[in-house]
Amino acid sequence: MTRETITLFDTTLRDGQQTPGIDFSVEDKIAIAAMLDEFGIDFIEGGYPGANPTDTTFFSKKRTRRAGFVAFGMTKRAGISASNDPGLSQLIQSKADAVCLVAKSWDYHVRVALGCTNEENLESIRDSVKAVVEAGKLSMVDCEHFFDGYKANPDYAIACAKEAYDAGARWVVLCDTNGGTQPPEIREIVQAVIASGIPGSSLGIHAHNDTGQAVANSLAAVEAGVRQIQGTLNGIGERCGNADLVTIIPTLCLKETYSSRFETAIDREKLVGLTRLSRAFDELLNRSPNHQSPYVGGSAFATKAGIHASALLKDPKTYEHVEPESVGNFRKVMVSDQGGKANFLNELKRRGITVAKDDPKLDTLISVVKEREASGYAYEGADASFELLALKTLGTVPDFFAVESFRVMVERRFDSHGQLKTVSEAVVKVLVDGEMVMSVAEGDGPVNALDIALRKDLGKYQSEIIDLELADYKVRILNGGTEAITRVLIESTDASGARWWTVGVSENIIDASFQALMDSIVYKLMKNRELAGQIAAE
């Protein structure tokens, strides 16, 4: 039996950006797009070029290698031609492969929000889609408030969708923008749209989670015939969030009711990277992962109940609906580390590190990682630190240099103009090839000063780190009080375009920062010698 394809469309960088408290930088967007691209998502919607400087800069280059790179924007305004609409022009001129146009499909919104007639709105949809197609880009249309619009005026809602399809839109996406539609309604309305003449192979679903049913509504739409699902990583989005692709993807891949009929771009091999993707994304957002997230949560395959634990030890299938390893997660009640070993071996293999399953050094590495994670380290979001730890434990890492000591001073004083000023200064003593080098630097803050001083003079290695740049710096307090444990995550990059993340943990924020900075420099030197960096170079 030939399986039908479900196309996966990620809108983390566009609709997910509406999440309260989330504000992606260009660097964040580049990093997230790369993560999604590597994982295998079909389409990545990057934002709204022309709406803000961040998105405009992001779309100045194509940011994906495999996935379709999608720009989002509005249909042309009523009363002007498509060629004279500046917003539409910026979408077409961007480096996107595809353009997703948002169109009103509820006559109430056409009247109140757009202030035009129903016919003018249909004209805007038609002319905008044609302009995108004529520019050589794949065209999609998000029919905003489609389900509410259908309930209010079914003929007009369907007319909007058909106008988009007839004009050449490859995908017509039905949006539950307010998130209040129920699964039976979704199923019934999708079937009505297909009956009107738009094939399910050109229909998508965009569900919001305001009644906690975005995943259920997305799957109901698939049952009814749609073949594209839009969603976000970890379900982020405005209000209560969007459909969570991290839940939808393994459900489609692992549950027989779907896997026997449908296929996605994420096969079983790629699916093993799901937990790492989910947690690395949370680390980038500088927030704690939801331990009870389906499939990927830290508690998804954990139990404390005695009879449950006993049964699990006899046969894991007694209390697990899928194998934790299938999504890259861990079983937390097993006495042996066999489940953990499979994951570690996979992670090491991705980095080009070969180790035998029965090598005692592998047991040592697993033990060290678990101890460190218990004390606050998070290696899902720090690939480079994990790789260095693995290389140190399983083999050797050259002693490029040794830091004998460092000192950081912060002084708050009035300058010669009477302005209050805070000055940070760092002193670092480094031993390179038996020679002691001392560097002093001022910075915008203590960590910046330490970073500059540490990289100011590394002797014979100095020329190798000239292109090393600290791209991002995130701090998370892991417990309360002024004596709190602090986790520092640093993102670094170099002239090759590779990016890597390192982590440090300490009750002293400067010490935690120093650990992450040291790992970043050592990783760069290892990468230069092709002893590390396979992941960063991807």
Side-chain angles (χ1 to χ4, degrees), residues 153-207:
N153 185 341
D155 291 341
Y156 186 70
I158 286 180
C160 292
K162 289 199 71 174
E163 198 72 48
Y165 177 70
D166 292 341
R170 169 62 184 87
W171 291 102
V172 178
V173 182
L174 311 179
C175 302
D176 185 27
T177 309
N178 286 341
T181 311
Q182 302 301 295
E185 296 176 298
I186 294 279
R187 192 176 292 110
E188 179 184 338
I189 293 171
V190 167
Q191 289 170 344
V193 174
I194 293 174
S196 76
I198 305 177
S201 58
S202 290
L203 286 175
I205 180 70
H206 179 109

Side-chain angles (χ1 to χ4, degrees), residues 308-442:
H308 291 192
S310 174
L312 273 167
L313 288 170
K314 293 173 183 175
D315 185 353
K317 291 180 181 177
T318 52
Y319 282 97
E320 290 175 354
H321 66 106
V322 297
E323 293 181 355
E325 295 84 1
S326 64
V327 291
N329 207 345
F330 292 92
R331 179 179 300 123
K332 289 198 172 179
V333 295
M334 297 298 288
V335 173
S336 78
D337 278 321
Q338 294 306 308
K341 277 188 178 180
N343 270 332
F344 272 89
L345 287 167
N346 181 66
E347 287 298 303
L348 294 171
K349 183 181 177 182
R350 291 178 66 241
R351 293 163 173 81
I353 303 171
T354 304
V355 59
K357 191 174 182 179
D358 56 355
D359 190 328
K361 289 183 179 178
L362 179 61
D363 293 323
T364 301
L365 176 62
I366 293 171
S367 176
V368 170
V369 169
K370 288 185 175 181
E371 285 176 15
R372 288 195 167 208
E373 289 191 333
S375 67
Y377 286 83
Y379 289 109
E380 292 94 349
D383 267 335
S385 286
F386 174 78
E387 186 166 347
L388 286 178
L389 181 62
L391 289 169
K392 287 174 185 174
T393 307
L394 300 174
T396 58
V397 174
D399 293 323
F400 297 107
F401 62 91
V403 175
E404 289 289 298
S405 66
F406 71 83
R407 183 171 73 251
V408 180
M409 295 161 285
V410 179
E411 182 182 5
R412 194 166 185 256
R413 64 169 186 254
F414 289 96
D415 63 17
S416 57
H417 301 288
Q419 300 293 317
L420 194 60
K421 191 175 182 181
T422 302
V423 179
S424 297
E425 182 181 88
V427 180
V428 178
K429 292 181 181 179
V430 184
L431 193 65
V432 185
D433 269 359
E435 182 182 344
M436 182 67 70
V437 178
M438 185 174 79
S439 299
V440 182
E442 286 190 350

Side-chain angles (χ1 to χ4, degrees), residues 74 102-118 121 143-150 152-153 156 160 175 177-178 239:
M74 294 178 66
V102 60
K104 301 293 185 186
S105 56
W106 185 358
D107 58 354
Y108 169 71
H109 274 256
V110 172
R111 184 176 71 255
V112 174
L114 296 183
C116 67
T117 67
N118 287 355
N121 182 50
C143 291
E144 189 182 27
H145 293 284
F146 183 82
F147 294 96
D148 290 324
Y150 181 91
N153 185 341
Y156 186 70
C160 292
C175 302
T177 309
N178 286 341
R239 303 187 313 275

Side-chain angles (χ1 to χ4, degrees), residues 15 125 184 217 242 250 301 338 426 495:
D15 214 354
I125 295 171
N217 280 343
N242 287 46
F301 300 98
Q338 294 306 308

